[in-house]
Amino acid sequence: MTVQMAGSTQIENITKSVATAVTNSQLEAGIVTVFVKHTTASVMIIEDEPGIRSDTQAFWDRLIPADPRWRHNTVNPGEDNGHSHLRGQLQGTSVTIPFAAGALLLGTWQQVVLVDFDTRARARELVLQVLGE
């Protein structure tokens, strides 16, 4: 699955795509793992509403701010995304979600999102692996 992203801690809700992958698998119960194949992006579960989206951006900006002095930026000419890599390391590249009766077992407010920490737009590749019976 490929998702076009803009960078700058953009959050994209991918819950419907994950649910569709589970439905298309024709499995009744199991787990689905969602993995992003990039070091400057992450997958996570949040309550996806405007306040949390804004708070999530502010959290990352405060915790790991953009800074041209990050070593990644200084030893790699033209790079400006050291903070993006650090955010991705901390948040992680995957989530695993159980499902039963062919449906994701997410809580009432839980949504699966892709977060792009990079400094420029790009296409993000995700791997969805559905295991079960």
Side-chain angles (χ1 to χ4, degrees):
M1 175 173 134
T2 302
V3 180
Q4 292 294 342
M5 300 293 285
S8 300
T9 316
Q10 178 194 350
I11 298 171
E12 185 69 26
N13 192 314
I14 58 170
T15 307
K16 287 181 185 174
S17 296
V18 176
T20 298
V22 168
T23 299
N24 290 345
S25 75
Q26 298 183 341
L27 297 172
E28 282 299 308
I31 57 173
V32 57
T33 297
V34 183
F35 173 79
V36 62
K37 295 173 62 174
H38 302 274
T39 58
T40 58
S42 293
V43 179
M44 61 183 169
I45 295 175
I46 65 171
E47 179 179 343
D48 189 16
E49 57 85 24
I52 289 296
R53 281 182 176 229
S54 179
D55 291 343
T56 298
Q57 276 194 312
F59 168 79
W60 286 113
D61 288 344
R62 290 179 195 153
L63 185 65
I64 305 174
D67 187 334
R69 296 171 296 175
W70 288 117
R71 291 287 296 152
H72 175 76
N73 300 338
T74 62
V75 301
N76 297 292
E79 291 288 340
D80 65 351
N81 65 351
H83 67 290
S84 306
H85 287 280
L86 295 169
R87 291 173 184 185
Q89 282 175 243
L90 190 58
Q91 184 57 52
T93 55
S94 67
V95 296
T96 300
I97 306 154
F99 65 91
L104 298 174
L105 294 176
L106 292 170
T108 301
W109 307 112
Q110 290 181 314
Q111 298 286 299
V112 185
V113 298
L114 172 63
V115 183
D116 187 350
F117 296 119
D118 215 339
T119 56
R120 64 183 176 89
R122 64 174 64 209
R124 297 302 190 162
E125 264 189 87
L126 293 128
V127 175
L128 280 64
Q129 188 173 47
V130 185
L131 302 170
E133 53 189 26

